[in-house]
Amino acid sequence: MDKKAVTELVEKYIAMWNEPDDRVRQTLIDEVFTPNATYTDPTVAANGAAAIGEYVAAAQKNFTGMLFTFGAVLTHHDAVHFSWQVGPTGGALGASGFDVAWFEGGRISRLYGFFNGH
């Protein structure tokens, strides 16, 4: 994938974390992840787009009133690395970390999330 396409996919991924509507969020998840994708971070190992959707919906309850953003997008071959942060708009940072993901057919097939401080 070219850098522009990867960055657009990361933008959709971050939008997924910010989307409060369950149906819109699941549409984003289906556009970002392959059907059998895996999502792993220090708190979960989710297998499949439906499980990823359930995890994001549950996790959003901890981020009410906060906004996810992302930093530099680094790519090579079929992988991407990017930093992210979450906090109130214009307020102090709530949490941050970085994700590493691998692509298959233009979507994420496997993602590992890392939390700073964990």
Side-chain angles (χ1 to χ4, degrees), residues 13-62:
Y13 171 78
I14 294 298
M16 162 196 96
W17 282 100
N18 290 323
E19 180 54 57
D21 183 278
D22 291 337
R23 287 187 299 169
V24 174
R25 185 176 50 253
Q26 192 60 50
T27 297
L28 287 167
I29 288 168
D30 292 339
E31 291 174 5
V32 169
F33 290 96
T34 62
N36 297 326
T38 60
Y39 173 97
T40 307
D41 73 22
T43 65
V44 71
N47 295 307
I52 294 168
E54 291 170 10
Y55 172 67
V56 173
Q60 279 187 336
K61 293 175 183 154
N62 297 321

Side-chain angles (χ1 to χ4, degrees), residues 13 39-42 84 98-100 111-115:
Y13 171 78
Y39 173 97
T40 307
D41 73 22
W84 55 265
F98 66 91
D99 290 354
V100 178
L111 184 140
Y112 284 87
F114 296 84
F115 304 158

